[in-house]
Amino acid sequence: MQGAKKKVPDRFTREERSRIMSRVKGKNTGPEIKIRSTLHSLGFRFRLNRKDLPGKPDIVLPKYKAVIFVHGCFWHGHSCKRGHRPQTNEEFWNKKIDGNIKRDQVNMNNLEKLGWRVLVIWQCEIKQMDALIVRIKEFLNSEDVKGH
C-alpha cells in the first residue's frame, strides 16, 4: 500500500485535546492584532467584525469598500504545513474544516455581490511581513478603489 500515511496517535487524551481546542479564540487573535497594528501604522483606518456584513469580516475598511479576513491556517484549511489535518478523529475534522472552507467561500461571494473587495491573509503569511505589507498596499490602493 504505497503512499498511505501511517496514523500517529495524538499525544493528548481526548479530554485534554477537547479542553485545548475549546480555548482557541475566534476574535482578537495574535495574527489579527498584528495585521491591525500594521494597518494602523500605515495610516489605514478600519472597523472590526461588522455584524451587518456576511461573515463578520475581521477588518472592514469602508473608505476602500474592502474587507480583510485573517484566517488561521488550521481552522480554514490552508495548504501550508499549519493547515495539516489531524489523523485522529478524521471524520469530525474533515467535516469541521470542509464546512469552514465552504462557509468562507459563501461569505466572500456574498460580500463581492454587495460590492466589497475581499482579501484573505493567512496566519503563515505573517512571517513575511514585508511582502505582506506590499500585498496589503496593492490591494487597498488598486485601481478598483480609486473609482470610489
Side-chain angles (χ1 to χ4, degrees):
M1 195 165 170
Q2 195 175 18
K5 288 186 177 181
K6 182 180 173 186
K7 287 196 178 198
V8 179
D10 195 342
R11 64 184 191 173
F12 297 106
T13 67
R14 196 175 191 99
E15 293 78 23
E16 289 170 324
R17 176 64 65 202
S18 179
R19 184 182 52 77
I20 291 166
M21 290 306 207
S22 72
R23 299 188 67 175
V24 174
K25 297 192 306 182
K27 290 183 190 175
N28 298 318
T29 63
E32 283 180 33
I33 291 169
K34 177 81 171 163
I35 296 302
R36 293 183 338 218
S37 175
T38 300
L39 283 167
H40 194 268
S41 70
L42 293 170
F44 295 106
R45 300 300 175 252
F46 49 85
R47 299 284 173 257
L48 303 177
N49 309 105
R50 275 193 33 194
K51 292 176 183 164
D52 62 324
L53 293 176
K56 293 186 267 182
D58 299 314
I59 300 167
V60 180
L61 298 107
K63 177 180 177 181
Y64 298 89
K65 194 80 175 183
V67 300
I68 298 174
F69 287 99
V70 183
H71 283 342
C73 297
F74 173 77
W75 295 103
H76 295 270
H78 194 223
S79 59
C80 71
K81 69 179 180 179
R82 286 177 171 255
H84 178 74
R85 294 183 186 207
Q87 293 179 334
T88 56
N89 205 3
E90 288 180 79
E91 185 178 338
F92 169 82
W93 287 113
N94 286 336
K95 183 178 178 184
K96 172 76 174 151
I97 295 168
D98 289 344
N100 289 348
I101 292 168
K102 190 177 206 174
R103 186 185 69 243
D104 291 342
Q105 192 58 56
V106 167
N107 287 331
M108 287 188 279
N109 290 342
N110 288 337
L111 283 161
E112 288 171 356
K113 285 177 189 172
L114 293 170
W116 291 88
R117 294 175 320 107
V118 178
L119 176 66
V120 173
I121 296 175
W122 293 97
Q123 173 185 7
C124 62
E125 293 179 297
I126 294 174
K127 290 180 182 177
Q128 286 104 23
M129 276 309 289
D130 291 341
L132 189 53
I133 287 169
V134 169
R135 190 167 148 235
I136 291 168
K137 284 180 176 179
E138 286 175 354
F139 171 71
L140 293 175
N141 293 317
S142 70
E143 290 299 316
D144 294 343
V145 174
K146 291 180 182 168
H148 285 96

mmCIF file of all heavy atoms in Angstrom, residues 3-26:
data_model
loop_
_atom_site.group_PDB
_atom_site.id
_atom_site.type_symbol
_atom_site.label_atom_id
_atom_site.label_comp_id
_atom_site.label_asym_id
_atom_site.label_seq_id
_atom_site.Cartn_x
_atom_site.Cartn_y
_atom_site.Cartn_z
ATOM 1 N N GLY A 3 2.144 4.998 -0.493
ATOM 2 C CA GLY A 3 1.581 6.347 -0.374
ATOM 3 C C GLY A 3 0.622 6.524 0.797
ATOM 4 O O GLY A 3 0.214 7.618 1.089
ATOM 5 N N ALA A 4 0.229 5.411 1.451
ATOM 6 C CA ALA A 4 -0.686 5.536 2.598
ATOM 7 C C ALA A 4 0.080 6.105 3.787
ATOM 8 O O ALA A 4 1.202 5.729 4.060
ATOM 9 C CB ALA A 4 -1.281 4.183 2.950
ATOM 10 N N LYS A 5 -0.568 7.023 4.493
ATOM 11 C CA LYS A 5 0.067 7.638 5.659
ATOM 12 C C LYS A 5 -0.180 6.785 6.891
ATOM 13 O O LYS A 5 -1.279 6.283 7.105
ATOM 14 C CB LYS A 5 -0.484 9.045 5.892
ATOM 15 C CG LYS A 5 -0.019 10.032 4.880
ATOM 16 C CD LYS A 5 -0.486 11.421 5.246
ATOM 17 C CE LYS A 5 0.040 12.434 4.274
ATOM 18 N NZ LYS A 5 -0.375 13.777 4.612
ATOM 19 N N LYS A 6 0.843 6.647 7.690
ATOM 20 C CA LYS A 6 0.735 5.933 8.950
ATOM 21 C C LYS A 6 0.072 6.863 9.968
ATOM 22 O O LYS A 6 0.430 8.024 10.098
ATOM 23 C CB LYS A 6 2.133 5.545 9.430
ATOM 24 C CG LYS A 6 2.148 4.757 10.696
ATOM 25 C CD LYS A 6 3.570 4.419 11.075
ATOM 26 C CE LYS A 6 3.606 3.786 12.436
ATOM 27 N NZ LYS A 6 4.975 3.577 12.890
ATOM 28 N N LYS A 7 -0.905 6.345 10.689
ATOM 29 C CA LYS A 7 -1.581 7.150 11.701
ATOM 30 C C LYS A 7 -0.689 7.306 12.920
ATOM 31 O O LYS A 7 -0.151 6.348 13.439
ATOM 32 C CB LYS A 7 -2.901 6.525 12.112
ATOM 33 C CG LYS A 7 -3.948 6.671 11.050
ATOM 34 C CD LYS A 7 -5.304 6.411 11.609
ATOM 35 C CE LYS A 7 -6.316 6.632 10.503
ATOM 36 N NZ LYS A 7 -7.637 6.814 10.994
ATOM 37 N N VAL A 8 -0.528 8.538 13.343
ATOM 38 C CA VAL A 8 0.258 8.839 14.529
ATOM 39 C C VAL A 8 -0.713 9.147 15.652
ATOM 40 O O VAL A 8 -1.590 9.997 15.499
ATOM 41 C CB VAL A 8 1.185 10.055 14.269
ATOM 42 C CG1 VAL A 8 1.987 10.387 15.505
ATOM 43 C CG2 VAL A 8 2.078 9.797 13.076
ATOM 44 N N PRO A 9 -0.567 8.459 16.788
ATOM 45 C CA PRO A 9 -1.508 8.720 17.888
ATOM 46 C C PRO A 9 -1.329 10.146 18.423
ATOM 47 O O PRO A 9 -0.231 10.688 18.441
ATOM 48 C CB PRO A 9 -1.138 7.685 18.942
ATOM 49 C CG PRO A 9 0.203 7.171 18.579
ATOM 50 C CD PRO A 9 0.421 7.452 17.123
ATOM 51 N N ASP A 10 -2.437 10.723 18.846
ATOM 52 C CA ASP A 10 -2.408 12.055 19.447
ATOM 53 C C ASP A 10 -1.668 11.949 20.771
ATOM 54 O O ASP A 10 -1.850 11.001 21.526
ATOM 55 C CB ASP A 10 -3.838 12.542 19.678
ATOM 56 C CG ASP A 10 -3.928 14.030 19.951
ATOM 57 O OD1 ASP A 10 -2.892 14.637 20.297
ATOM 58 O OD2 ASP A 10 -5.027 14.589 19.814
ATOM 59 N N ARG A 11 -0.845 12.939 21.054
ATOM 60 C CA ARG A 11 -0.097 12.892 22.311
ATOM 61 C C ARG A 11 -0.933 13.335 23.511
ATOM 62 O O ARG A 11 -0.495 13.237 24.648
ATOM 63 C CB ARG A 11 1.191 13.707 22.205
ATOM 64 C CG ARG A 11 0.964 15.173 21.993
ATOM 65 C CD ARG A 11 2.281 15.884 21.810
ATOM 66 N NE ARG A 11 2.043 17.314 21.874
ATOM 67 C CZ ARG A 11 2.977 18.201 21.890
ATOM 68 N NH1 ARG A 11 4.223 17.842 21.848
ATOM 69 N NH2 ARG A 11 2.670 19.465 21.948
ATOM 70 N N PHE A 12 -2.137 13.834 23.241
ATOM 71 C CA PHE A 12 -3.050 14.235 24.312
ATOM 72 C C PHE A 12 -4.220 13.271 24.365
ATOM 73 O O PHE A 12 -4.612 12.697 23.352
ATOM 74 C CB PHE A 12 -3.591 15.656 24.064
ATOM 75 C CG PHE A 12 -2.536 16.717 24.056
ATOM 76 C CD1 PHE A 12 -2.138 17.302 22.874
ATOM 77 C CD2 PHE A 12 -1.941 17.140 25.241
ATOM 78 C CE1 PHE A 12 -1.162 18.290 22.863
ATOM 79 C CE2 PHE A 12 -0.971 18.117 25.233
ATOM 80 C CZ PHE A 12 -0.575 18.693 24.044
ATOM 81 N N THR A 13 -4.815 13.147 25.537
ATOM 82 C CA THR A 13 -6.042 12.355 25.639
ATOM 83 C C THR A 13 -7.160 13.129 24.946
ATOM 84 O O THR A 13 -7.044 14.333 24.676
ATOM 85 C CB THR A 13 -6.445 12.119 27.112
ATOM 86 O OG1 THR A 13 -6.813 13.380 27.687
ATOM 87 C CG2 THR A 13 -5.328 11.459 27.901
ATOM 88 N N ARG A 14 -8.242 12.451 24.694
ATOM 89 C CA ARG A 14 -9.390 13.083 24.044
ATOM 90 C C ARG A 14 -9.881 14.286 24.860
ATOM 91 O O ARG A 14 -10.199 15.339 24.309
ATOM 92 C CB ARG A 14 -10.488 12.041 23.884
ATOM 93 C CG ARG A 14 -11.568 12.411 22.925
ATOM 94 C CD ARG A 14 -12.537 11.221 22.773
ATOM 95 N NE ARG A 14 -13.425 11.453 21.676
ATOM 96 C CZ ARG A 14 -13.280 10.955 20.464
ATOM 97 N NH1 ARG A 14 -12.270 10.163 20.198
ATOM 98 N NH2 ARG A 14 -14.133 11.235 19.521
ATOM 99 N N GLU A 15 -9.920 14.131 26.193
ATOM 100 C CA GLU A 15 -10.389 15.217 27.070
ATOM 101 C C GLU A 15 -9.422 16.401 27.046
ATOM 102 O O GLU A 15 -9.850 17.560 27.014
ATOM 103 C CB GLU A 15 -10.559 14.711 28.505
ATOM 104 C CG GLU A 15 -11.662 13.702 28.693
ATOM 105 C CD GLU A 15 -11.287 12.285 28.220
ATOM 106 O OE1 GLU A 15 -10.071 11.962 28.146
ATOM 107 O OE2 GLU A 15 -12.218 11.519 27.906
ATOM 108 N N GLU A 16 -8.119 16.107 27.070
ATOM 109 C CA GLU A 16 -7.119 17.192 27.023
ATOM 110 C C GLU A 16 -7.195 17.937 25.697
ATOM 111 O O GLU A 16 -7.148 19.170 25.673
ATOM 112 C CB GLU A 16 -5.700 16.624 27.207
ATOM 113 C CG GLU A 16 -5.400 16.140 28.605
ATOM 114 C CD GLU A 16 -4.086 15.370 28.682
ATOM 115 O OE1 GLU A 16 -3.739 14.644 27.729
ATOM 116 O OE2 GLU A 16 -3.403 15.515 29.712
ATOM 117 N N ARG A 17 -7.329 17.194 24.594
ATOM 118 C CA ARG A 17 -7.428 17.826 23.274
ATOM 119 C C ARG A 17 -8.679 18.689 23.203
ATOM 120 O O ARG A 17 -8.653 19.808 22.698
ATOM 121 C CB ARG A 17 -7.442 16.754 22.183
ATOM 122 C CG ARG A 17 -7.648 17.286 20.772
ATOM 123 C CD ARG A 17 -6.549 18.175 20.271
ATOM 124 N NE ARG A 17 -5.298 17.459 20.145
ATOM 125 C CZ ARG A 17 -4.119 18.061 20.140
ATOM 126 N NH1 ARG A 17 -4.030 19.371 20.243
ATOM 127 N NH2 ARG A 17 -3.019 17.373 20.026
ATOM 128 N N SER A 18 -9.772 18.210 23.730
ATOM 129 C CA SER A 18 -11.022 18.969 23.737
ATOM 130 C C SER A 18 -10.861 20.270 24.523
ATOM 131 O O SER A 18 -11.300 21.335 24.081
ATOM 132 C CB SER A 18 -12.143 18.122 24.330
ATOM 133 O OG SER A 18 -13.337 18.854 24.357
ATOM 134 N N ARG A 19 -10.226 20.199 25.682
ATOM 135 C CA ARG A 19 -10.004 21.392 26.506
ATOM 136 C C ARG A 19 -9.118 22.397 25.771
ATOM 137 O O ARG A 19 -9.405 23.596 25.756
ATOM 138 C CB ARG A 19 -9.360 20.992 27.837
ATOM 139 C CG ARG A 19 -9.176 22.147 28.811
ATOM 140 C CD ARG A 19 -8.494 21.719 30.110
ATOM 141 N NE ARG A 19 -7.242 20.990 29.910
ATOM 142 C CZ ARG A 19 -6.072 21.573 29.577
ATOM 143 N NH1 ARG A 19 -6.001 22.865 29.421
ATOM 144 N NH2 ARG A 19 -4.991 20.842 29.412
ATOM 145 N N ILE A 20 -8.067 21.925 25.134
ATOM 146 C CA ILE A 20 -7.158 22.804 24.386
ATOM 147 C C ILE A 20 -7.908 23.506 23.258
ATOM 148 O O ILE A 20 -7.821 24.722 23.090
ATOM 149 C CB ILE A 20 -5.961 22.008 23.832
ATOM 150 C CG1 ILE A 20 -5.046 21.554 24.974
ATOM 151 C CG2 ILE A 20 -5.174 22.828 22.803
ATOM 152 C CD1 ILE A 20 -4.028 20.488 24.576
ATOM 153 N N MET A 21 -8.649 22.733 22.478
ATOM 154 C CA MET A 21 -9.358 23.304 21.319
ATOM 155 C C MET A 21 -10.460 24.272 21.758
ATOM 156 O O MET A 21 -10.727 25.237 21.061
ATOM 157 C CB MET A 21 -9.946 22.193 20.454
ATOM 158 C CG MET A 21 -8.901 21.396 19.733
ATOM 159 S SD MET A 21 -7.805 22.464 18.773
ATOM 160 C CE MET A 21 -7.301 21.364 17.500
ATOM 161 N N SER A 22 -11.059 24.031 22.908
ATOM 162 C CA SER A 22 -12.140 24.914 23.368
ATOM 163 C C SER A 22 -11.616 26.297 23.755
ATOM 164 O O SER A 22 -12.376 27.248 23.838
ATOM 165 C CB SER A 22 -12.885 24.289 24.541
ATOM 166 O OG SER A 22 -12.095 24.316 25.710
ATOM 167 N N ARG A 23 -10.330 26.396 24.000
ATOM 168 C CA ARG A 23 -9.742 27.678 24.410
ATOM 169 C C ARG A 23 -9.254 28.527 23.244
ATOM 170 O O ARG A 23 -8.775 29.641 23.446
ATOM 171 C CB ARG A 23 -8.600 27.422 25.383
ATOM 172 C CG ARG A 23 -9.115 26.698 26.643
ATOM 173 C CD ARG A 23 -8.083 26.604 27.668
ATOM 174 N NE ARG A 23 -7.822 27.964 28.139
ATOM 175 C CZ ARG A 23 -7.027 28.268 29.128
ATOM 176 N NH1 ARG A 23 -6.402 27.317 29.768
ATOM 177 N NH2 ARG A 23 -6.846 29.504 29.500
ATOM 178 N N VAL A 24 -9.380 28.010 22.028
ATOM 179 C CA VAL A 24 -8.939 28.753 20.853
ATOM 180 C C VAL A 24 -9.885 29.935 20.637
ATOM 181 O O VAL A 24 -11.104 29.771 20.603
ATOM 182 C CB VAL A 24 -8.905 27.838 19.601
ATOM 183 C CG1 VAL A 24 -8.586 28.639 18.355
ATOM 184 C CG2 VAL A 24 -7.898 26.720 19.795
ATOM 185 N N LYS A 25 -9.312 31.123 20.485
ATOM 186 C CA LYS A 25 -10.114 32.339 20.339
ATOM 187 C C LYS A 25 -10.589 32.510 18.893
ATOM 188 O O LYS A 25 -9.928 32.085 17.959
ATOM 189 C CB LYS A 25 -9.282 33.568 20.721
ATOM 190 C CG LYS A 25 -8.849 33.577 22.159
ATOM 191 C CD LYS A 25 -8.286 34.905 22.612
ATOM 192 C CE LYS A 25 -7.161 35.423 21.766
ATOM 193 N NZ LYS A 25 -6.604 36.678 22.251
ATOM 194 N N GLY A 26 -11.708 33.185 18.740
ATOM 195 C CA GLY A 26 -12.234 33.481 17.418
ATOM 196 C C GLY A 26 -12.001 34.931 17.020
ATOM 197 O O GLY A 26 -11.991 35.258 15.846
#
